[in-house]
Amino acid sequence: MQMVFHLGVHGTDGDRLLKTLLNNRDGLMQNGTDVITPNRHRGLFEEALMSLKGGPATAEMQQIMLDAVLHSETPSRAVFSTPTFMGAPGRVVGQTGLYPQMGARAAALANLFPDHEVEFFLAIRNPATLIAEVLPIFTGGGYHVLMQGRHPLDLRWRDAIQGLLRAVPGHRVVIWCHEDVPLIWPEIARLVGNVAPDVPLKGGMMYLEEILDDAGLTRLKEALSAQDRLSIAQRREMSSQVIESHALPAVLDQVIDLPGWSQDLVDRVTETYRADVAEIAVLPGVEFVLP
């Protein structure tokens, strides 16, 4: 069985992927994909991870977990999606940088089902907006505690993803930029759910519905429905044009109000992020979804 872990991360998809897949649950189940809601594995996985301490689960333990979480007896693919796979918000930054425990946590998740084919999916985002998004939900002591003494320029996705790949060699790893999701969301949902390109997908415009005004959303839906055969590239181009003229005010431009962060620092962090994305996209072992 293919065991799919959507790792988040914090401040990216939230529960949107889960909602999109659940909107398509009937078709997914017919195709052998079981979407597991967090309430079915919450507590169970945590207890198993603590017991195993990173080691592999026995065949008996794997079967007990599968019996507890699966909706059907013989799915070919099971999808788990929750940002808590990467821990609490305070785990975003460690003493060595961004998500230093990502590799170890992913390896431990893979060892929950060592007899199965485990895949990992995750979004990354600009560390400047990531910290701005996480800080309000961090309850451990404020900005300086969250940053663990790290300078903003130390927050490198390159290092985190390289650590992930070293920890889970041979496993499928699919990555995308959170900033790109309005254009690539249908492809992400299809990859995670193993939905064929010619199968209708409900919720493929979820992100666009959040960022477009009513006129823009109507214009886009009319333009898309007017096409008999629409390629992915054509859909993305049409969506991009509407976003440029009909995005809701302030939706695409996030204000970074963090202690000691100047506009120059935000620009430097952003430039470093773009360099990391370019490097990650070509790493062996990574499937990178580009817009």
Side-chain angles (χ1 to χ4, degrees), residues 68-284:
V69 301
L70 295 179
H71 295 92
S72 61
E73 293 185 4
T74 57
S76 57
R77 187 174 180 86
V79 178
F80 307 91
S81 174
T82 170
T84 57
F85 283 142
M86 287 294 98
R91 298 298 184 95
V92 170
V93 182
Q95 294 188 359
T96 58
L98 201 61
Y99 285 105
Q101 295 182 323
M102 178 178 286
R105 294 187 71 88
L109 289 171
N111 274 335
L112 290 178
F113 301 104
D115 295 338
H116 298 272
E117 186 180 341
V118 178
E119 303 178 0
F120 297 100
F121 288 74
L122 72 151
I124 61 176
R125 71 179 294 175
N126 188 332
T129 63
L130 173 63
I131 298 302
E133 192 81 15
V134 168
L135 183 59
I137 61 173
F138 173 59
T139 59
Y143 171 79
H144 295 290
V145 177
L146 175 64
M147 290 294 287
Q148 295 284 302
R150 294 296 90 203
H151 188 276
L153 290 173
D154 295 335
L155 306 182
R156 302 295 300 268
W157 277 112
R158 174 197 63 191
D159 301 336
I161 299 304
Q162 287 177 340
L164 170 63
L165 295 174
R166 287 193 298 269
V168 291
H171 290 282
R172 186 186 189 193
V173 176
V174 181
I175 301 173
W176 61 95
C177 289
H178 177 66
E179 294 83 1
D180 295 333
V181 287
L183 298 180
I184 64 174
W185 190 241
E187 287 68 59
I188 297 301
R190 290 181 185 279
L191 284 171
V192 176
N194 192 32
V195 180
D198 59 341
V199 174
L201 179 74
K202 301 175 184 177
M205 295 183 66
M206 181 176 290
Y207 272 92
L208 289 167
E209 290 171 349
E210 294 181 10
I211 68 173
L212 293 176
D213 60 27
D214 291 341
L217 193 58
T218 299
R219 173 185 163 189
L220 180 59
K221 287 181 177 179
E222 290 176 350
L224 294 176
S225 62
Q227 302 292 322
D228 291 330
R229 291 182 178 274
L230 192 68
S231 69
I232 292 175
Q234 288 173 323
R235 191 204 76 238
R236 291 178 179 177
E237 177 61 27
M238 295 167 68
S239 299
S240 181
Q241 291 175 358
V242 175
I243 289 172
E244 289 181 6
S245 57
H246 287 278
L248 292 169
V251 168
L252 301 183
D253 295 322
Q254 182 172 349
V255 176
I256 308 299
D257 184 15
L258 296 169
W261 286 60
S262 63
Q263 185 59 53
D264 177 66
L265 179 57
V266 172
D267 292 343
R268 291 169 64 195
V269 170
T270 301
E271 183 179 347
T272 301
Y273 170 58
R274 289 171 178 163
D276 278 359
V277 169
E279 187 171 337
I280 292 167
V282 297
L283 284 174

